[in-house]
Amino acid sequence: MPKRSTSLALALPPRGSGAPAARWLTGALRSEILEGRLRPGARLPATRDLARQYALSRGTIVSAFAQLASEGYVEGSVGSGTYVSQTLPEDLLHAGRAALVPEPRRRNPRRALSAYGRSAQLFPGYRLRPTRAFRADQPALDLFPTTLWAQLSARRLRRATANLLLGTSPMGHLPLREAVADYVRTARGVQCTAEQVAIVSGVQESLDLVTRLFVDPGDRVCMEDPGYPGAALAFRAYGAKVSALAVDAEGMTIPRGPARLAYITPGHQFPLGISMSLRRRLAVLDWAYLSGALILEDDYDSEYRYAGRPVPALQGLDRRGIVLFAGSFSKVMFPSLRLGYLVVPPDLVDVVTATLSITSRHAPLVDQAILCDFIADGHFARHIRRMREIYAERLGVLLDGARTHLAGLLTIAGLEAGLQTAAWLEGIDARAATKAAAERDVDVTPLAIYAVRQNTRAAREGLHLGFAAVDSQEIRRGVRDLAAAIETLT
Ligand SMILES: Cc1ncc(COP(=O)(O)O)c(C=O)c1O
């Protein structure tokens, strides 16, 4: 690709009060590149011009360029100009393209979409961004044993049978279904046989499948508030009326009146982290039974528990066949694997099989077989053990750092499981804190974006902090910079 010169006067977003100049400029230029406004090969404005335009010292500009060069975003040398790198790291390139996806594009008004097509909305999580403290929803991708995965993949493909290339039952690769059934019975107290296990493309496909099968337009679906937005989008795409139920110290409150479906995260409530009490579990099962509702239990992130006794799945308490249990390999392995499982009551196996046969046909079989080998050879259990130790240490660094630097500003809720935690500001607006933190390269999420009710403390003062994706050093840096950011608001 030829080098392009740019005479553009960059329109960078304003610098927030208190943000160090070099960090602000680095972040703003990085966003220009990631979001595709500065294309590979584009020449950055001369340091002299940028200094004049933004009233900064040339030293500040040179240090921002040096930081971007060390991250691989730009290349070039003093005197000959600085250019956006021709080959950006792959994930950053994707981030740039993904950022273009949500641009509103006018739909041809004569294109007649179905009711589903008119209701489907883009899940906002596709906007990829650099990994830094305290990015939530991401495991430590750099610690996944990719070399081992490559060896297992090569071995599988070297020994590929015709069946491996041909296909399998819509419910998935039987040895993997057996391994999953063993795992959820032992680790999660789920009652099932392998026949009840469908291998799907993550919890998101389970949400789609269950809504498709049980929810008609106008039906009521209950879920937690705050709750997982990907679920609400899946329900609404099928025309469901979503009832958002408050979450208290025991978990989701019991719905009043009937519904078709209740979607719950009882093990580790998303995003507050509360584990549903036994009393509430029994009450929600009774409500579902009496009102003719099904329950979809989302057991996301339950592999990583740091304190307290593991609470067995709600499905394990169900004697009436009303709970469907969904889990995922996205966090425990890696998100792009797109494999998960849905455990259904025996009488639903046929209809789930039929539906999968005319939707995904089945989840990618080669990946299912490799994952199955990973589990059978003992790597899965080893990987969970290793990552649990690492995440526990990272959580400890976050909690220690918070005690030292964030006392009086932010309290982190006691966390028992998962890769992210809720945290509570003291009388400070969570959206303002998120903005101030972003100016210091700290990635926190206001709980308000998961909430329907905006007049609760969670929506006003709650933040979501991930601690798994980055190392201890970055967590310490993040805590210090988050404290500085919040202090600007006090
Ligand atoms: C609570 C919750 N459930 C489900 C999902 C979707 O997971 P999957 O990658 O298995 O589709 C997510 C993703 O972040 C999540 O946070």
Side-chain angles (χ1 to χ4, degrees):
M1 201 189 295
K3 291 205 163 171
R4 300 178 219 185
S5 71
T6 172
S7 55
L8 43 84
L10 283 176
L12 300 178
R15 182 174 146 205
S17 58
R23 180 167 294 164
W24 163 77
L25 183 62
T26 312
L29 290 172
R30 199 191 284 119
S31 304
E32 294 295 301
I33 297 169
L34 284 175
E35 288 163 22
R37 289 187 291 278
L38 274 176
R39 313 273 304 151
R43 183 176 184 160
L44 265 57
T47 50
R48 197 180 332 100
D49 295 343
L50 267 180
R52 195 171 331 108
Q53 192 184 350
Y54 290 99
L56 299 170
S57 75
R58 276 186 78 192
T60 300
I61 317 274
V62 168
S63 93
F65 281 16
Q67 175 65 31
L68 290 169
S70 74
E71 293 173 11
Y73 289 87
V74 301
E75 54 202 12
S77 55
V78 178
S80 64
T82 303
Y83 296 85
V84 178
S85 300
Q86 297 283 7
T87 41
L88 289 166
E90 197 191 13
D91 52 340
L92 301 180
L93 261 178
H94 287 165
R97 286 198 209 112
L100 296 177
V101 173
E103 289 285 318
R105 269 166 292 188
R106 252 164 53 85
R107 182 156 37 84
N108 178 349
R110 296 211 323 227
R111 203 176 298 286
L113 288 180
S114 66
Y116 180 97
R118 288 195 300 279
S119 305
Q121 282 184 32
L122 184 76
F123 180 68
Y126 288 125
R127 197 182 163 86
L128 302 184
R129 52 200 195 279
T131 300
R132 58 196 183 195
F134 297 98
R135 181 173 176 160
D137 301 336
Q138 190 176 296
L141 298 176
D142 53 334
L143 298 180
F144 184 75
T146 40
T147 308
L148 173 61
W149 187 256
Q151 283 160 358
L152 295 178
S153 311
R155 189 177 77 187
R156 253 298 155 182
L157 289 169
R158 266 198 313 275
R159 297 182 195 162
T161 59
N163 279 347
L164 186 76
L165 302 181
L166 186 62
T168 185
S169 150
M171 295 289 277
H173 184 50
L174 186 56
L176 179 61
R177 294 165 64 199
E178 282 164 352
V180 167
D182 266 355
Y183 172 65
V184 297
R185 270 196 310 256
T186 317
R188 305 296 305 121
V190 170
Q191 303 181 66
C192 70
T193 62
E195 285 66 38
Q196 291 169 254
V197 176
I199 303 297
V200 291
S201 178
V203 171
Q204 203 62 41
E205 189 183 5
S206 292
L207 282 159
D208 181 85
L209 184 61
V210 171
T211 319
R212 189 188 285 268
L213 278 174
F214 301 106
V215 178
D216 286 315
D219 281 351
R220 180 180 184 219
V221 173
C222 297
M223 64 178 283
E224 299 148 332
D225 179 27
Y228 173 54
L233 291 174
F235 302 142
R236 291 208 176 96
Y238 284 101
K241 282 202 204 109
V242 178
S243 275
L245 292 159
V247 176
D248 65 19
E250 295 192 62
M252 188 183 82
T253 48
I254 303 299
R256 282 205 206 113
R260 283 298 287 138
L261 180 72
Y263 162 76
I264 325 180
T265 52
H268 173 231
Q269 201 272 335
F270 182 94
L272 301 176
I274 293 161
S275 173
M276 189 181 257
S277 70
L278 180 62
R279 192 170 56 162
R280 189 62 59 80
R281 286 167 190 250
L282 296 173
V284 84
L285 285 172
D286 279 348
W287 163 81
Y289 181 66
L290 294 173
S291 67
L294 281 175
I295 294 176
L296 176 56
E297 174 175 18
D298 178 354
D299 195 51
Y300 86 104
D301 277 5
S302 63
E303 299 79 10
Y304 297 120
R305 172 157 288 278
Y306 313 106
R309 280 196 297 135
V311 187
L314 180 65
Q315 194 269 7
L317 293 172
D318 171 27
R319 300 282 174 272
R320 299 172 279 209
I322 49 181
V323 179
L324 290 83
F325 176 86
S328 176
F329 291 103
S330 288
K331 304 289 166 50
V332 68
M333 300 290 286
F334 51 96
S336 71
L337 184 60
R338 301 308 308 143
L339 288 177
Y341 40 88
L342 179 67
V343 180
V344 301
D347 64 300
L348 292 177
V349 169
D350 286 350
V351 70
V352 168
T353 309
T355 307
L356 287 169
S357 78
I358 52 173
T359 53
S360 62
R361 183 66 52 89
H362 58 68
L365 180 55
V366 175
D367 289 341
Q368 293 191 52
I370 300 166
L371 175 59
C372 189
D373 293 345
F374 190 84
I375 297 173
D377 294 356
H379 304 302
F380 184 66
R382 236 185 329 274
H383 182 57
I384 294 182
R385 271 200 306 276
R386 170 169 176 250
M387 297 315 293
R388 190 182 287 137
E389 266 176 35
I390 291 170
Y391 294 150
E393 185 193 317
R394 292 180 178 186
L395 174 61
V397 172
L398 171 61
L399 295 176
D400 280 353
R403 270 191 294 273
T404 313
H405 298 283
L406 289 161
L409 299 172
L410 185 79
T411 308
I412 297 186
L415 177 80
E416 295 192 344
L419 306 183
Q420 58 238 352
T421 179
W424 305 94
L425 289 156
E426 308 288 342
I428 294 166
D429 178 68
R431 288 185 196 264
T434 301
K435 194 154 166 280
E439 282 164 6
R440 288 177 153 79
D441 284 345
V442 178
D443 186 341
V444 295
T445 312
L447 292 184
I449 69 164
Y450 306 128
V452 173
R453 289 174 187 77
Q454 292 291 313
N455 60 350
T456 60
R457 177 156 189 230
R460 281 193 313 271
E461 297 180 359
L463 291 176
H464 215 201
L465 269 60
F467 54 83
V470 296
D471 64 17
S472 301
Q473 195 184 345
E474 172 62 3
I475 293 175
R476 285 193 197 96
R477 195 278 305 167
V479 169
R480 282 193 302 272
D481 284 348
L482 181 58
I486 298 173
E487 258 155 18
T488 64
L489 304 170
T490 55

